[in-house]
Amino acid sequence: MEESSAPTSKKGAKKAEAKAKKEALKAQRAAELAAAAAANVADDPAKDNYGNRQTITSAFSQDSEDVEIRALDETYDGKTVVVRAWLQKSRIQSAKMGFVELRKGGNWDIQGVIMASEEEPVVSRQMVKWVASINPESFVAVEAKVKKPLEPVKSCRVSGLELHITKCFVLAQAPATLGMTIRTASQPIVNFSDESAQVGNVDGEKVAEAAAENTTPAASMLTHLDNIAIHKRAPVQQAIADIRIEVKKIFRTYLESRRFKEFEPPCLIGAASEGGGNVFRLPYFGEEAFLAQSPQFYKQFEIAGGRERVFSIGPVFRAENSNTPRHMTEFTGLDLEMEIKDSYTEVLSTLEGVLLSIFRGIQERCADEIDTVRSVYYSEPLLLPEPGKEVRLTFAEAQKLLREEGPAEFSNVRDDEDMSTPQEKALGQVVRAKYKTDFYVIDKFPETARPFYAKLDDAGTTVGDGVRVTNAFDMFLRGQEVLSGGQRVHDPVELEARIRAKGVDPKSAGIKEYLTTFQQVGVPPHGGGGIGLDRIVAWSLGLPSVHLAAYYPRTPKRLLP
Amino acid sequence: MEESSAPTSKKGAKKAEAKAKKEALKAQRAAELAAAAAANVADDPAKDNYGNRQTITSAFSQDSEDVEIRALDETYDGKTVVVRAWLQKSRIQSAKMGFVELRKGGNWDIQGVIMASEEEPVVSRQMVKWVASINPESFVAVEAKVKKPLEPVKSCRVSGLELHITKCFVLAQAPATLGMTIRTASQPIVNFSDESAQVGNVDGEKVAEAAAENTTPAASMLTHLDNIAIHKRAPVQQAIADIRIEVKKIFRTYLESRRFKEFEPPCLIGAASEGGGNVFRLPYFGEEAFLAQSPQFYKQFEIAGGRERVFSIGPVFRAENSNTPRHMTEFTGLDLEMEIKDSYTEVLSTLEGVLLSIFRGIQERCADEIDTVRSVYYSEPLLLPEPGKEVRLTFAEAQKLLREEGPAEFSNVRDDEDMSTPQEKALGQVVRAKYKTDFYVIDKFPETARPFYAKLDDAGTTVGDGVRVTNAFDMFLRGQEVLSGGQRVHDPVELEARIRAKGVDPKSAGIKEYLTTFQQVGVPPHGGGGIGLDRIVAWSLGLPSVHLAAYYPRTPKRLLP
């Protein structure tokens, strides 16, 4: 099996070459076997029990039971079953015997045995050859008797049982040569650049060193994307996708149980309302349209429209030409907005609660999947605060902590200027050391670091050179921002003043309609926040790139597949 | 209260004018009352018990209970409660007494009474005047004693209780003159055109006649969108939004319980893969990007990637310059794709099952909301087939039925040509009369009416002039298509042949990558379908336009708000 791997060291390159040669030979041998088998089919007493098929209607015994590999346990011992699965490995042992490995449901695999037999059900030597030479990653349906192996099959997850195959049909044939094998796809990705000429980022290099020690060559993200089906079939990607599903589910369940209602904000909008810099523009029936950078205004319209508590899960777009492991041009936003009864801390507690519920929830419900991910991408287990001991710092407190306990380069950070990414990361380490948590909230950001809709705090508190603080906060995971939120200005007079104070024209497109909504009707006090789903998944698993958490990562150079 | 209504008949116009004058007078009176009240505030013994506030922290008694209007029942009789709500009506009865109506949670409303009292808690005459002149649609928080009224309050949903107000704060003030009143917003919309100059569509005219008989003037969709908050606050829109949420929830729950996994297909794609006609294009870092017209290819990539059964809920885009009640440029797609074990009827049954589950589910769970919608937009209740008596016709059978039992104009429809929209509607009536159902499946479409990925049936059946039929189907509701689905070609050789047969270049952008995925790996037999969420909601409720089912309808002329 040959593959377009991307070795990142000389040692790696040589190993990859040797590997490729070996796999090419293996492929050749498999092809020869297949040809020989085909020639013999005509006079084969078992010829109706194997082969390529488009459908398998009535190909199996009436009394065999359809079963998923994950469901196989000792109660099946001795039974005849039908299993549909990916054949991930095939090996001929002798003229009379061969082995295969079948995989389904992410990373559930089991060994299959094919043994010549003259008794019913007949298994011919041709059939043994044919089955043992099926190309890996073909989709097969087999009828088999479930038996206990002489000793546990270490290489498979279902180790206490094996399948003695009596019928085997290939429903979808993989080619003899795959663009990337499932083993390579299961190695840590070494290079996340979306330009093939570029060298990997820092995280990628670390991973590459580890990969170089390994016998299976690793591949770049580009190779993975060029082989999207194999990329997805790898157990590590199956696990990440399953965890992502669980994160969404917990977000939704947590909010629905608190009377939040889902809604769908539009992607196509008539104005670049949140700053024109990073917005995609498109021709729209003789006019111009824009792709939403966030559902911010629409969440607030829902509150104005009496929906009380809303959330949305959907795509948002950023036209940033950033080729980093933190950026994508399209990602999934988890957003919420709610009426405030007495204080914006209701919003803060809800958001803190939903995030902690997500982090704790996946640790409970996805323990297997997290193990699978960590076996490929090692990370320190997440440190979470004990209930009631959540860490909430004001922006000024956080900056003080960074000045006093952070690296020397940050000994002069100011309380009235936004944090940089390196500052955030350094703070994450200080907080971890001091409070034993990877998750914390920073509240009361200075207004210089927030958009016009952030509400100034009621007490009139100032920091630094007399800069007002806001009822706005960020939440962090392992030193990276995963959530931004706060109370919004709901009074139209105050809102117009804040818009002007930020140097924005209240009559400009988008802003005008936004402000008008507040003037047209009374809008109750409210607040909310937004979470990047891809980042939550990536950072909670300690993945080296957010691209691994996405189904189809979109980057400035890459929109395919 | 003045409003920009759009009367559609002379009779309607006169009524609207009279109405507008009456409301203007009312607004003037309210303003006078408010001014008088303000003048008296200074020497008011109750002055701390009412007024405009930004926050109401500690404004209420410790022993009052926060409660939602929907939760109020006889157990609250005699208790002191705090209620936050929209004030939808205010009326002064005498110098000592006034009435208000408070609304929250869609269409839960209750009467509030404000009565002067010298005993504690003191309610002054100024306070009575002030409360009774609050502008409708302001957001208020009141403290009140719950009492049984002398007789049931017919105008409110909570008719067996009323609130005797002792404190009342306006948290968000609505202007004296609304762009549209909640009463107008609760009338059937008369004109769905997105160009103000154009006359309404056929459905709109019918609704307009009904509206002309009514005392409250109706408004056009444009007026509703210009007053988005009031549009949304109207109980009919709250009900539609709540039903829409339930439709999504049932779709998701039904599929998750059958081991389907959610995923997010991208919106930004690198090629106009499903025909270039109706696709939005945008500049993308020096290249061109497109907005996805459906998640079709990506659902199939998930199947190729071993995800077995997947679904997605997300936006899709069509650059169609169609100003009709059936079209939007952005809408929400509900899509699924699944491996097939033995036959494509597994896919058909799943899709039929999920739709019936949705239609039956909302009738059970949203009975109140459906009543609210039907009180504004009357429709015949949905006729659904009894379990086990679902109607499935082949395309040829459907055409025969239309020829034989449909209108004369359709007596020559062919079995090898796609149906037109008028044909579909006529067939809907024939099927309803014959089978007593508004929901049915039409299967085995001729290949001339389907895209290249539709799988030809195994039996080689032909219709008309020797046209092959496919394992593809549509599902209809009230004579309108709501779902398109079927088995897909999974064999790469067959797929390439079908692509060529449709006159598409297999090497063209997007198609090449699609075909490559099938060639790179074995992809098992699979099929699926796509549903338009907006249409499902609109047609199941018999709404005159799909725009009513959307949160923010996008049309060729309208991207705001």
Side-chain angles (χ1 to χ4, degrees):
Chain A
M1 229 117 322
E2 202 176 65
E3 54 200 358
S4 35
S5 58
T8 52
S9 69
K10 281 200 174 172
K11 195 175 162 195
K14 272 196 181 167
K15 278 198 178 171
E17 206 179 308
K19 185 88 195 162
K21 271 193 189 159
K22 198 173 144 195
E23 297 207 349
L25 274 173
K26 199 173 149 200
Q28 194 186 335
R29 172 87 185 121
E32 286 166 9
L33 277 169
N40 287 328
V41 159
D43 54 324
D44 181 354
K47 68 176 187 295
D48 293 336
N49 296 341
Y50 66 100
N52 294 315
R53 293 271 179 105
Q54 278 245 2
T55 60
I56 45 168
T57 316
S58 66
F60 297 118
S61 325
Q62 291 286 347
D63 55 349
S64 62
E65 184 188 341
D66 262 37
V67 66
E68 296 286 333
I69 293 171
R70 73 169 77 226
L72 285 168
D73 60 23
E74 297 217 339
T75 63
Y76 281 92
D77 188 17
K79 286 191 183 163
T80 300
V81 296
V82 169
V83 167
R84 287 162 180 80
W86 308 100
L87 183 144
Q88 67 183 5
K89 212 181 251 183
S90 57
R91 173 166 68 86
I92 189 104
Q93 171 96 339
S94 70
K96 287 179 148 183
M97 195 170 181
F99 293 95
V100 297
E101 275 178 25
L102 303 178
R103 184 189 77 247
K104 198 80 199 280
N107 67 344
W108 288 91
D109 47 12
I110 187 167
Q111 176 163 277
V113 185
I114 177 85
M115 215 180 319
S117 161
E118 285 171 14
E119 284 165 45
E120 282 292 332
V122 176
V123 173
S124 62
R125 290 184 177 210
Q126 294 100 309
M127 182 174 167
V128 172
K129 272 187 190 167
W130 192 87
V131 170
S133 62
I134 294 170
N135 295 330
E137 294 309 311
S138 297
F139 191 78
V140 301
V142 303
E143 186 171 277
K145 195 158 198 172
V146 181
K147 290 188 183 173
K148 287 188 185 173
L150 295 178
E151 51 190 74
V153 184
K154 283 180 197 160
S155 60
C156 289
R157 185 159 177 193
V158 180
S159 58
L161 296 171
E162 58 186 15
L163 298 173
H164 287 250
I165 296 169
T166 50
K167 292 184 181 179
C168 180
F169 302 103
V170 170
L171 286 160
Q173 177 126 254
T177 305
L178 293 170
M180 174 170 73
T181 64
I182 206 87
R183 281 183 60 195
T184 293
S186 301
Q187 296 299 311
I189 292 176
V190 292
N191 181 346
F192 290 96
S193 167
D194 65 358
E195 293 181 86
S196 47
Q198 248 176 270
V199 177
N201 52 66
V202 177
D203 292 304
E205 279 170 11
K206 274 191 196 152
V207 174
E209 285 166 27
E213 299 304 308
N214 202 301
T215 49
T216 305
S220 70
M221 190 67 184
L222 282 181
T223 302
H224 277 251
L225 293 176
D226 285 338
N227 294 276
I228 192 74
I230 297 292
H231 168 67
K232 285 183 171 291
R233 286 185 199 173
V236 60
Q237 282 305 131
Q238 297 272 331
I240 293 170
D242 288 344
I243 293 165
R244 183 180 169 109
I245 287 170
E246 206 58 39
V247 170
K248 274 179 76 170
K249 203 176 286 182
I250 297 170
F251 179 77
R252 180 181 289 119
T253 312
Y254 186 93
L255 294 177
E256 283 180 343
S257 72
R258 283 157 181 81
R259 300 204 300 105
F260 279 80
K261 290 178 169 182
E262 194 167 1
F263 85 108
E264 290 107 51
C267 295
L268 289 171
I269 55 176
S273 37
E274 286 189 76
N278 298 326
V279 64
F280 287 111
R281 296 154 185 268
L282 64 149
Y284 191 82
F285 307 104
E287 304 283 327
E288 196 173 26
F290 305 84
L291 294 182
Q293 292 166 285
S294 93
Q296 183 61 37
F297 287 11
Y298 291 90
K299 291 193 296 179
Q300 295 190 260
F301 293 159
E302 291 295 307
I303 297 297
R307 300 296 287 165
E308 304 180 7
R309 300 178 148 210
V310 295
F311 71 95
S312 65
I313 300 178
V316 286
F317 306 89
R318 304 277 162 90
E320 278 181 281
N321 200 351
S322 303
N323 183 9
T324 86
R326 295 165 50 89
H327 288 91
M328 293 193 291
T329 55
E330 175 180 351
F331 59 91
T332 301
L334 307 178
D335 279 88
L336 68 82
E337 202 75 19
M338 61 191 275
E339 284 177 7
I340 289 172
K341 281 188 168 181
D342 293 311
S343 158
Y344 80 100
T345 54
E346 296 157 19
V347 181
L348 192 152
S349 297
T350 302
L351 286 162
E352 187 185 57
V354 75
L355 281 180
L356 283 169
S357 169
I358 287 170
F359 300 139
R360 294 198 182 106
I362 59 172
Q363 286 182 347
E364 279 166 29
R365 301 194 218 168
C366 303
D368 272 2
E369 288 80 3
I370 291 174
D371 281 351
T372 301
V373 175
R374 294 184 68 225
S375 73
V376 178
Y377 295 103
Y378 178 75
S379 65
E380 293 281 326
L382 257 195
L383 279 184
L384 296 177
E386 280 174 46
K389 297 195 173 170
E390 294 80 12
V391 174
R392 297 178 182 179
L393 304 170
T394 65
F395 187 86
E397 285 166 352
Q399 295 291 73
K400 183 161 180 275
L401 201 61
L402 192 57
R403 281 193 298 269
E404 291 177 357
E405 301 181 33
E409 56 185 308
F410 300 133
S411 59
N412 291 314
V413 294
R414 295 178 56 90
D415 295 353
D416 56 1
E417 279 173 12
D418 204 0
M419 291 183 191
S420 65
T421 303
Q423 277 176 44
E424 289 176 354
K425 288 201 173 174
L427 181 66
Q429 304 206 339
V430 173
V431 172
R432 188 179 219 261
K434 191 176 182 98
Y435 297 103
K436 314 292 176 223
T437 178
D438 286 315
F439 174 74
Y440 49 92
V441 181
I442 298 183
D443 191 15
K444 299 280 182 197
F445 268 65
E447 65 92 4
T448 45
R450 305 306 278 208
F452 59 76
Y453 50 75
K455 186 141 171 52
L456 302 178
D457 88 330
D458 302 322
T461 314
T462 60
V463 289
D465 288 343
V467 171
R468 288 283 297 272
V469 303
T470 61
N471 288 346
F473 45 80
D474 280 357
M475 300 196 185
F476 291 83
L477 190 71
R478 302 192 203 257
Q480 312 212 59
E481 185 232 306
V482 288
L483 177 146
S484 206
Q487 182 172 5
R488 328 298 188 182
V489 180
H490 68 277
D491 180 78
V493 177
E494 190 179 332
L495 184 56
E496 184 168 348
R498 292 300 305 152
I499 290 171
R500 286 186 196 281
K502 285 283 181 185
V504 178
D505 180 0
K507 292 207 162 49
S508 58
I511 301 296
K512 182 167 157 272
E513 290 78 8
Y514 176 67
L515 184 57
T516 298
T517 301
F518 290 82
Q519 290 161 340
Q520 280 179 335
V521 288
V523 179
H526 64 285
I531 307 172
L533 172 58
D534 309 84
R535 288 188 176 186
I536 287 282
V537 174
W539 307 160
S540 67
L541 294 171
L543 296 179
S545 168
V546 79
H547 301 170
L548 282 170
Y551 291 99
Y552 300 93
R554 311 277 92 168
T555 57
K557 301 278 177 197
R558 183 90 191 190
L559 288 176
L560 288 170
Chain B
M1 228 120 321
E2 204 175 67
E3 55 200 355
S4 35
S5 58
T8 54
S9 69
K10 280 198 177 172
K11 195 174 162 195
K14 272 196 183 167
K15 280 197 179 175
E17 205 179 308
K19 186 84 194 164
K21 271 192 189 159
K22 197 173 143 198
E23 298 207 347
L25 274 173
K26 198 173 149 199
Q28 196 186 335
R29 172 87 186 122
E32 285 166 11
L33 278 169
N40 288 328
V41 159
D43 54 324
D44 181 354
K47 68 176 188 293
D48 293 336
N49 296 341
Y50 67 100
N52 293 315
R53 293 271 179 105
Q54 278 244 0
T55 60
I56 45 169
T57 316
S58 65
F60 298 118
S61 325
Q62 291 285 345
D63 54 350
S64 62
E65 184 187 341
D66 262 36
V67 65
E68 295 285 333
I69 293 173
R70 73 169 77 226
L72 285 169
D73 59 24
E74 298 217 338
T75 63
Y76 282 92
D77 189 18
K79 288 190 183 163
T80 300
V81 296
V82 170
V83 167
R84 285 161 180 81
W86 308 100
L87 182 145
Q88 66 183 7
K89 212 182 251 183
S90 57
R91 174 166 69 87
I92 188 105
Q93 171 96 340
S94 69
K96 288 179 147 184
M97 195 172 182
F99 293 95
V100 296
E101 276 178 24
L102 302 179
R103 185 189 74 245
K104 197 81 198 282
N107 66 345
W108 288 92
D109 46 13
I110 188 167
Q111 177 163 277
V113 183
I114 177 85
M115 214 179 321
S117 161
E118 284 171 15
E119 286 164 45
E120 283 292 331
V122 175
V123 174
S124 61
R125 288 182 179 211
Q126 293 99 312
M127 181 174 167
V128 172
K129 271 187 192 169
W130 191 87
V131 170
S133 62
I134 293 171
N135 294 330
E137 295 310 310
S138 296
F139 191 78
V140 301
V142 304
E143 187 170 277
K145 194 158 196 171
V146 181
K147 289 189 184 173
K148 286 189 185 172
L150 294 178
E151 50 190 73
V153 184
K154 283 181 196 158
S155 60
C156 289
R157 186 159 177 193
V158 180
S159 57
L161 296 171
E162 57 185 15
L163 299 174
H164 286 250
I165 297 169
T166 50
K167 292 185 181 178
C168 179
F169 302 103
V170 170
L171 285 161
Q173 177 126 256
T177 305
L178 292 170
M180 174 170 73
T181 64
I182 205 88
R183 281 181 61 194
T184 293
S186 301
Q187 296 299 310
I189 291 176
V190 292
N191 181 346
F192 289 97
S193 167
D194 66 357
E195 293 180 86
S196 47
Q198 248 177 270
V199 177
N201 52 68
V202 177
D203 291 305
E205 280 170 10
K206 274 190 198 153
V207 174
E209 284 166 28
E213 300 303 308
N214 203 302
T215 50
T216 305
S220 70
M221 190 67 184
L222 282 182
T223 301
H224 276 251
L225 294 176
D226 284 339
N227 293 277
I228 192 73
I230 297 291
H231 169 67
K232 286 184 171 292
R233 285 185 200 174
V236 61
Q237 282 305 130
Q238 296 272 331
I240 293 171
D242 288 345
I243 293 166
R244 183 181 168 109
I245 287 170
E246 206 57 40
V247 170
K248 274 178 77 171
K249 204 177 284 181
I250 297 171
F251 179 78
R252 181 182 288 119
T253 312
Y254 186 93
L255 294 177
E256 283 179 344
S257 71
R258 285 159 180 80
R259 299 205 299 106
F260 280 79
K261 291 178 170 183
E262 194 166 1
F263 86 108
E264 291 108 52
C267 295
L268 288 171
I269 55 176
S273 37
E274 287 190 74
N278 298 326
V279 64
F280 287 110
R281 296 152 184 270
L282 64 149
Y284 190 84
F285 307 105
E287 304 283 327
E288 196 173 25
F290 305 84
L291 294 182
Q293 292 165 287
S294 93
Q296 183 61 38
F297 287 12
Y298 291 90
K299 290 193 296 178
Q300 296 190 260
F301 293 158
E302 292 295 306
I303 297 297
R307 298 297 287 167
E308 305 180 5
R309 299 177 150 211
V310 295
F311 71 95
S312 65
I313 300 178
V316 286
F317 306 88
R318 302 279 162 89
E320 278 183 278
N321 200 350
S322 304
N323 182 9
T324 86
R326 296 164 52 88
H327 289 91
M328 293 192 291
T329 54
E330 176 179 351
F331 58 92
T332 301
L334 307 177
D335 279 88
L336 68 83
E337 202 75 20
M338 60 191 274
E339 284 178 7
I340 289 172
K341 281 190 168 178
D342 293 311
S343 158
Y344 80 101
T345 54
E346 296 157 18
V347 182
L348 192 153
S349 298
T350 302
L351 287 163
E352 186 185 56
V354 76
L355 280 181
L356 282 170
S357 168
I358 286 169
F359 300 139
R360 294 199 182 104
I362 57 172
Q363 286 183 347
E364 278 166 30
R365 300 194 218 167
C366 304
D368 273 2
E369 288 80 3
I370 291 175
D371 282 350
T372 301
V373 175
R374 294 185 67 225
S375 73
V376 178
Y377 294 103
Y378 178 74
S379 65
E380 293 281 324
L382 257 194
L383 279 184
L384 295 177
E386 283 173 45
K389 296 195 174 172
E390 294 81 11
V391 175
R392 297 179 182 179
L393 304 170
T394 64
F395 187 87
E397 285 165 353
Q399 294 293 69
K400 184 161 179 276
L401 200 61
L402 193 57
R403 281 194 299 268
E404 292 176 357
E405 300 180 33
E409 56 185 307
F410 300 133
S411 58
N412 291 312
V413 295
R414 295 178 57 90
D415 295 354
D416 57 2
E417 278 174 12
D418 204 0
M419 290 182 192
S420 65
T421 304
Q423 278 175 42
E424 288 175 354
K425 288 201 173 174
L427 182 66
Q429 302 206 340
V430 173
V431 171
R432 189 179 218 261
K434 192 175 180 101
Y435 298 102
K436 313 292 174 223
T437 178
D438 287 314
F439 174 74
Y440 49 93
V441 181
I442 298 183
D443 191 15
K444 298 282 182 195
F445 268 65
E447 66 91 7
T448 44
R450 307 304 279 208
F452 60 75
Y453 50 74
K455 185 141 170 53
L456 301 178
D457 88 329
D458 303 322
T461 314
T462 61
V463 288
D465 288 344
V467 171
R468 288 284 296 273
V469 303
T470 60
N471 287 346
F473 45 79
D474 280 358
M475 301 194 185
F476 291 83
L477 190 71
R478 304 193 203 253
Q480 310 211 62
E481 185 232 304
V482 288
L483 178 146
S484 207
Q487 182 171 7
R488 328 298 188 184
V489 180
H490 68 276
D491 180 78
V493 176
E494 190 180 332
L495 183 56
E496 186 168 346
R498 291 300 304 152
I499 290 170
R500 287 186 195 281
K502 285 283 182 185
V504 177
D505 180 1
K507 292 207 162 50
S508 57
I511 301 295
K512 181 166 158 274
E513 289 78 7
Y514 175 68
L515 184 57
T516 298
T517 302
F518 290 82
Q519 291 161 340
Q520 280 179 335
V521 289
V523 179
H526 64 285
I531 306 173
L533 172 58
D534 309 84
R535 289 189 174 186
I536 288 282
V537 174
W539 307 160
S540 67
L541 294 172
L543 298 178
S545 169
V546 79
H547 301 169
L548 282 170
Y551 291 98
Y552 300 92
R554 310 277 93 168
T555 58
K557 301 277 176 195
R558 184 88 191 189
L559 288 176
L560 288 169

